[in-house]
Amino acid sequence: MISDVMPTYASIDLAFERGEGPYLFTKDGRRFLDFGSGIAVNSLGHCHPALIQTLSDQSEKLWHCSNLYRIPMQENLAGKLTANSFADLVFFCNSGAEAVEAGLKLVRKYQSYSGRPERFRVITFGGSFHGRTLATISAAANDAHKAGFGPMVNGFDIVPFGNSEKVRAAVTKETAAILVEPIQGEGGIRPAEREFLAYLRELCDEFDLLLFFDEVQTGIGRTGYLFSHQGADVNPDVVAIAKGLGGGFPVGACLASAKAAAGMTAGTHGSTFGGNPLAMSVACKVLDIIQEEGLLKNCVERGVELRTRITQCYQNYPNLVEEVRGAGLMVGIKAIVPAGELVTAFRNHGLLTVPAGDNVVRLLPPLIIDQNHVDEALEMISDAFKALT
Ligand SMILES: *Cc1c(COP(=O)(O)O)cnc(C)c1O
């Protein structure tokens, strides 16, 4: 492959021409069942007719206009997000890393605005992933992502995921916030215990820190709740979302309580593209469809089916898989053989999945899948297991 694209991705030699629902098609007509959804992005599958209509209608009216002016569709989307969450205020951007970055700035601003400018550090966790900007690689523990890019942004204290005592011990006079993924995605579909998240909430209340959830992957229905922390019944102060929000259109958002966002006044933060009418109209439609079409319920039911049936299936191949875990349609297959071999075998049988840390294969199907798609996936998984033994 000769290409002028900077080779930062280890892409495999496979390209798609079009998508329809949970399927992707190559130019030569091969069909794949897409249980990766562009890494949890195509939440309503590919080319959802209502999203096509919304995008095309909006494209004839207004694509971009600066935040120098009011953008009414931002107000619509912000209203939908706050009406269905802990949040009072929303900042719009274009990606997950930008949403996390906005939250990191917000938590520092909260503390300085509250008269404690010495509080700038954020406690984060081993195995986490928060994006690829300088601040977000600094926040996470992945050395490969940091190599050669130093010095890192100062102000992150990384502790073992799930270890309450280590978190408490890491709180100092300089701590501003705790940043955590309720279920680690890139780290290998590693769910935080409900008790752990509740403990973080108590700790934040005790020391007046902000609790910041990175729901870029878990948010917007993926786990069967609009936000996965709603399933744990633990309220954060700040949440970053992106991936599934635009159903394939790039858009991110940072949600916060009014108290946490008090310092985010005019001129403190911004984005040229953030909250543009195309992104806003599509994201509004995505939220409407998720809520009106019972997709959260579908996500829970298909998720249980998928996890149960994969678990049954691998019992016949005990040397391949160790466990199946996750929530809703965020499913992790913890492999015994190298996870990459499973991903390849699945793909050879027509099923697209995504590798993750901890030797895990991720299944992140669109929330619109039905029982037939689960049947089809299980046939492919079973055939792939057979071929591997
Ligand atoms: C994907 C992801 C990000 C980064 O999102 P980008 O849109 O790639 O910048 C941040 N946090 C989590 C939890 C993610 O899964």
Side-chain angles (χ1 to χ4, degrees):
M1 257 191 306
I2 300 167
S3 163
D4 294 337
V5 177
M6 201 176 288
T8 61
Y9 304 102
S11 309
I12 55 164
D13 188 11
L14 175 64
F16 304 104
E17 188 186 37
R18 66 184 185 89
E20 194 183 318
Y23 296 104
L24 280 170
F25 300 85
T26 61
K27 212 168 181 174
D28 59 12
R30 278 179 299 152
R31 188 179 88 155
F32 290 83
L33 183 59
D34 183 10
F35 271 27
S37 305
I39 316 189
V41 167
N42 302 101
S43 45
L44 303 183
H46 298 279
C47 296
H48 190 291
L51 296 189
I52 293 175
Q53 192 62 51
T54 300
L55 187 59
S56 102
D57 288 349
Q58 186 58 42
S59 77
E60 292 179 12
K61 290 187 203 150
L62 185 63
W63 291 24
H64 173 80
C65 81
S66 166
N67 286 296
L68 288 167
Y69 312 100
R70 263 182 66 198
I71 299 177
M73 261 169 296
Q74 279 186 21
E75 296 165 21
N76 284 353
L77 182 57
K80 285 180 198 292
L81 290 168
T82 57
N84 291 286
S85 75
F86 74 98
D88 303 305
L89 293 165
V90 185
F91 175 83
F92 291 109
C93 52
N94 314 286
S95 69
E98 279 176 273
V100 175
E101 186 92 21
L104 291 171
K105 287 180 70 179
L106 182 149
V107 300
R108 287 185 173 191
K109 191 66 145 186
Y110 167 77
Q111 297 293 357
S112 67
Y113 189 78
S114 308
R116 295 176 300 229
E118 72 283 4
R119 294 192 178 189
F120 70 97
R121 306 191 68 83
V122 177
I123 296 173
T124 61
F125 295 94
S128 62
F129 178 79
H130 300 295
R132 297 297 203 112
T133 63
L134 206 42
T136 54
I137 61 172
S138 305
N142 190 323
D143 289 337
H145 290 178
K146 298 183 184 186
F149 294 120
M152 290 293 109
V153 173
N154 186 17
F156 296 100
D157 298 305
I158 303 173
V159 304
F161 186 53
N163 188 325
S164 301
E165 278 157 38
K166 289 267 166 68
V167 184
R168 176 173 282 272
V171 176
T172 70
K173 284 200 263 309
E174 294 185 338
T175 307
I178 300 173
L179 167 61
V180 66
E181 294 160 82
I183 301 174
Q184 290 190 339
E186 305 298 309
I189 314 293
R190 301 203 298 159
E193 301 276 348
R194 193 210 158 265
E195 292 68 28
F196 181 63
L197 296 178
Y199 183 78
L200 297 182
R201 177 71 273 169
E202 284 170 28
L203 211 54
C204 287
D205 290 342
E206 185 178 338
F207 295 101
D208 198 8
L209 317 176
L210 294 181
L211 183 57
F212 178 3
F213 286 159
D214 181 345
E215 293 233 31
V216 168
Q217 193 161 151
T218 53
I220 313 300
R222 176 60 47 195
T223 68
Y225 296 87
L226 194 55
F227 301 92
S228 76
H229 69 262
Q230 293 169 334
D233 200 21
V234 174
N235 264 355
D237 304 295
V238 187
V239 163
I241 54 173
K243 290 194 166 89
L245 177 60
F249 200 95
V251 56
C254 179
L255 285 64
S257 67
K259 182 184 168 210
M264 301 301 284
T265 52
T268 54
H269 193 44
S271 162
T272 298
F273 292 123
N276 76 72
L278 289 175
M280 295 297 101
S281 59
V282 176
C284 277
K285 197 70 187 174
V286 169
L287 282 183
D288 287 348
I289 291 173
I290 286 178
Q291 289 177 314
E292 283 162 18
E293 298 188 2
L295 288 183
L296 296 178
K297 185 161 170 275
N298 185 61
C299 180
V300 171
E301 291 172 359
R302 300 292 83 75
V304 169
E305 240 166 56
L306 203 52
R307 291 196 303 276
T308 312
R309 291 183 56 188
I310 298 170
T311 303
Q312 284 163 358
C313 183
Y314 86 74
Q315 304 306 323
N316 303 322
Y317 309 95
N319 299 324
L320 294 178
V321 172
E322 193 176 310
E323 69 164 338
V324 176
R325 62 197 187 204
L329 287 173
M330 189 170 182
V331 176
I333 302 176
K334 165 99 171 133
I336 296 169
V337 297
E341 287 181 19
L342 276 189
V343 171
T344 304
F346 291 156
R347 190 174 62 244
N348 289 340
H349 289 83
L351 180 68
L352 301 178
T353 59
V354 187
D358 199 30
N359 204 39
V360 162
V361 179
R362 266 179 293 178
L363 275 61
L364 303 161
L367 311 183
I368 52 143
I369 58 164
D370 63 29
Q371 256 162 354
N372 293 325
H373 301 120
V374 175
D375 288 343
E376 198 181 350
L378 258 297
E379 210 160 298
M380 292 163 168
I381 289 170
S382 166
D383 288 348
F385 283 166
K386 215 174 291 166
L388 277 170
T389 43

